[in-house]
Amino acid sequence: MGKVVGIDLGTTNSVVAVMEGGKPVVIANAEGMRTTPSVVGFSKDGEKVVGQMARRQTVLNPQNTFFAIKRFTGRKYSELNPESKRVPYTVRKDEFGNIKIVCPRLNKDFAPEEVSAMILKKLAEDASKYLGEAVTSTVITVPAYFNDAQRQATRDAGRIAGLEVLRILNEPTAAALAYGLDKADSEVILVFDLGGGTFDVSILEVGDGVFEVKATSGDTQLGGNDFDKRIVDWLAEKFLENEGIDLRRDRQALQRLMEAAEKAKIELSAVSVTDINLPFITADKDGPKHLETRLTRSQFEAMCDDLLGRLRLPVKRALRDAGMTPRDIEEVVLVGGSTRMPIVEKLVEGMIGLQPNQNVNADEVVAVGAAVQAGILGGELKDVLLLDVTPLSIGLETIGGVMKKLIPRNTTIPVRRSDIFSTSENNQNTVEVHAVQGEREMAADNKSLGRFKLYGIPPAPRGIPQIQVSFDIDANGILQVTALDRTTGREQSITIQGASNLSESEIVQAIREAEKFADVDRQRKERVEKRTRAEALILQAERQLRDVALDFGMQFARNRRQRIDNICRDLRDSLKEDDDRGIDQAYADLQDALSDLNREVRQYYAEDEDDDLFGTIRDIFIGDREQDDDFYNRGYRRDSDRSYGRDYDRGYGRDYDRGGYGKDYDKGYSARNSDRDYGRDYDRGYSRDSDRSYGRDSDRSYGRDSNRSYSRDNSYPSYDQGYSSRKPSKPSYQDNWDDEDDDWL
């Protein structure tokens, strides 16, 4: 088994961490951030985007951008309240009463588990890049107050993402693991976890490698998003009063309100007043409308008073279930970004009487704890014992619709409880078992986990058959049911499928679609990368052509340059037409053309180097003849050599050779051969190599410095040019130069 990572699948943000060197490490995503927004979107091209990229398109593409999916996980549509449905995207129910997320861009509906799987897939891929190996196993955290259906749905999301979920871990317990890993002394801590969409309270006894959960409570429909909605409603009502327009009916306006509300909430944690400015929020027949207002911290706290009351109840219930009072609590750990609100800190301090601990990162501590649990399962950590509890009571529906509890809430898990049932009619051969979860007395008021029937009961008077029904809750908090007919001794193990909103066939289909999506995404990514490479190669070719033209002149490799220009034009046309085959062909041709051009440039330099080597050898045998002249031509100013020597050779010598004087002279005196035999060899061999042997050294020691001091500092280039035009100064060392008359013969 490879590395096991810990994932905090949050409502607002998600985090992934891993154990390295015995210590938990938070893994940054591909964008370099340690937290990844739990947002999935589909662009106008149908491309799937996850995280920050998806969050950026929420305003302009609200119907195809999905967030806060965690609130819909493992729930039926009938369980949603009106507030939960008020999101910019469309939420509907299918023929089975399950929740579906509508994606108009793809003309497709997604189950919440499928959207969560996309987030998990993104986190696993980022972790794989960091670790250098594929991540296939994980520990995923869930709110402590998640019921069995929600836990099953989270596990299903992991399966769809291609991950083996080794453990479903409660978020407060994970935070306690991260906080108390190195605690030697035993202490009782209260973990107050207020995230974006859920709220949990857990009381644990931590110390010496033992983490025992005493009690847990919470609210899966209470979080920072609810505080944001209070600001949204306040802004919308104020705008409705002033302008007569309800912004909540406009998807884009609603999304902008939600983002502004979240920003205002965060700012009010640090300042006492904040300005909210939303220009062009909407428009009517009179023109565009703007929203400008000011919100104070006292106003915000006043509108959230009932939410604070909902925070108090789980704390009191957890203390009561643990048999403790606030005085028994020795440490308070705040978890979740929403605990940064001053009003929440004051509430906790007022209820417990302790200043909350600020030593943990509220955003990352849950993922760190999940990584610790992953390290335990992977064998990296030992001597750590985790004793968690089930958050809700589990039982059966009996006659009259009454719920009989088999496993009370806050029972340490894993746990197995059994009870004996019998038939209610004579000769009854089938018994229906209805498993429910919750704290209400009537089964109908609790969460139905599923119904199943036991067949093959031998005919007998009612009350005679003895059927032992056992409930098993594993370390993940997931329920299994086993039935034993004690009359025949036949045992039958039953997994409650109704706890998950997706059947096994639907899960398999979702896995296939996820793999298909992965292939489509990979192909789309390859196409984008191909176009990026092609555009980069075009820019490289253009830059290279400019450099060659500057260094060697426009006439150098003219044919190759024209060929490269034509290929660049074809490649641009293929990119514009989105012709994959044309792009591939033009890209390959351009690479070949650039390679040929580079080869020609290298060959040119190689010839120069060979000539220089030959000249150095000649210089050794000839001596220092006319070294002063060569120094003047080469050493005095290398730029002068280019402007005078090269220009002279090309301008004067070449023109001279080509002119009537040069051609006849060339033919009569075999100047071409002489030029090659003596002039070129001598010129390159002596002049260049003298430049290398003497001129280069002299050039570096004197020539360059002299050039800089005279030519640059004292502005002597004009002198060189003037001198060149008046007196050629033996430019090519021709045989027909008269040294005495200082002129041509």
Side-chain angles (χ1 to χ4, degrees), residues 333-393:
V333 179
L334 298 182
V335 180
S338 299
T339 57
R340 293 188 174 96
M341 290 185 289
I343 190 173
V344 174
E345 294 182 15
K346 291 178 183 177
L347 181 143
V348 176
E349 187 177 354
M351 293 187 69
I352 307 301
L354 292 174
Q355 182 73 27
N357 188 296
Q358 303 287 341
N359 295 333
V360 298
N361 188 317
D363 297 319
E364 301 176 357
V365 65
V366 172
V368 169
V372 172
Q373 179 64 51
I376 296 171
L377 297 176
E380 297 180 62
L381 289 177
K382 298 180 180 179
D383 301 325
V384 177
L385 178 62
L386 177 60
L387 300 173
D388 214 335
V389 298
T390 179
L392 297 165
S393 301

Side-chain angles (χ1 to χ4, degrees), residues 72-355:
F72 302 128
T73 301
R75 306 182 73 199
K76 296 288 187 179
Y77 188 85
S78 58
E79 299 175 16
L80 301 180
N81 55 42
E83 286 294 319
S84 300
K85 301 174 187 176
R86 203 177 71 188
V87 288
Y89 51 90
T90 303
V91 179
R92 71 170 189 88
K93 67 175 179 180
D94 63 6
E95 60 272 20
F96 304 107
N98 297 325
I99 297 172
K100 292 295 182 182
I101 310 298
V102 180
C103 180
R105 186 77 68 199
L106 301 181
N107 195 23
K108 177 179 172 60
D109 294 348
F110 290 103
E113 292 87 344
E114 294 179 271
V115 180
S116 296
M118 297 174 190
I119 301 169
L120 292 173
K121 186 76 171 176
K122 155 79 170 170
L123 297 171
E125 288 175 350
D126 291 340
S128 298
K129 290 179 183 177
Y130 175 82
L131 296 171
E133 60 179 296
V135 171
T136 58
S137 303
T138 182
V139 172
I140 303 178
T141 61
V142 297
Y145 224 56
F146 257 21
N147 57 38
D148 186 71
Q150 292 168 310
R151 293 171 189 270
Q152 289 274 20
T154 304
R155 180 183 286 276
D156 293 342
R159 289 181 60 191
I160 295 170
L163 299 171
E164 182 185 2
V165 183
L166 300 181
R167 182 65 54 86
I168 298 292
L169 184 65
N170 290 336
E171 290 170 0
T173 308
L177 276 174
Y179 167 79
L181 188 61
D182 54 353
K183 300 287 182 183
D185 298 330
S186 181
E187 63 178 352
V188 178
I189 67 171
L190 184 144
V191 179
F192 189 96
D193 184 358
L194 182 63
T198 58
F199 171 52
D200 289 303
V201 177
S202 290
I203 298 173
L204 303 94
E205 189 171 348
V206 178
D208 199 23
V210 179
F211 297 81
E212 184 179 0
V213 181
K214 296 296 186 181
T216 189
S217 186
D219 189 340
T220 59
Q221 299 300 306
L222 176 62
N225 292 347
D226 297 284
F227 289 83
D228 296 345
K229 286 178 180 178
R230 295 303 165 91
I231 302 178
V232 169
D233 289 334
W234 180 77
L235 292 172
E237 291 294 338
K238 196 170 183 178
F239 194 85
L240 179 62
E241 183 181 347
N242 295 333
E243 304 291 345
I245 301 173
D246 191 352
L247 297 176
R248 289 165 293 193
R249 298 181 178 275
D250 185 342
R251 296 179 186 271
Q252 286 191 346
L254 176 60
Q255 182 60 44
R256 291 185 66 186
L257 285 179
M258 294 174 72
E259 290 185 358
E262 183 183 11
K263 183 181 177 184
K265 179 190 69 177
I266 295 171
E267 290 177 351
L268 289 176
S269 298
V271 298
S272 59
V273 62
T274 182
D275 292 324
I276 301 174
N277 299 308
L278 294 174
F280 304 97
I281 187 67
T282 190
D284 60 5
K285 61 181 181 180
D286 298 327
K289 303 291 182 180
H290 314 292
L291 193 155
E292 298 180 45
T293 188
R294 175 169 289 190
L295 178 64
T296 64
R297 184 187 293 176
S298 58
Q299 287 177 305
F300 173 57
E301 292 177 353
M303 62 179 74
C304 298
D305 188 62
D306 62 321
L307 298 178
L308 297 176
R310 290 174 62 184
L311 290 175
R312 291 187 178 95
L313 290 176
V315 176
K316 294 178 180 179
R317 187 162 56 235
L319 287 170
R320 185 172 61 250
D321 291 345
M324 297 181 181
T325 66
R327 294 181 179 179
D328 297 321
I329 304 300
E330 299 174 76
E331 197 75 64
V332 177
V333 179
L334 298 182
V335 180
S338 299
T339 57
R340 293 188 174 96
M341 290 185 289
I343 190 173
V344 174
E345 294 182 15
K346 291 178 183 177
L347 181 143
V348 176
E349 187 177 354
M351 293 187 69
I352 307 301
L354 292 174
Q355 182 73 27

Side-chain angles (χ1 to χ4, degrees), residues 713-729:
D713 297 339
N714 297 328
S715 302
Y716 272 78
S718 61
Y719 171 79
D720 293 339
Q721 293 172 2
Y723 191 126
S724 335
S725 63
R726 290 194 308 271
K727 190 175 181 180
S729 167

Side-chain angles (χ1 to χ4, degrees), residues 465-482:
Q466 290 188 329
I467 301 166
Q468 181 178 325
V469 180
S470 302
F471 281 14
D472 284 284
I473 300 179
D474 62 12
N476 301 305
I478 295 176
L479 177 66
Q480 304 288 329
V481 179
T482 304

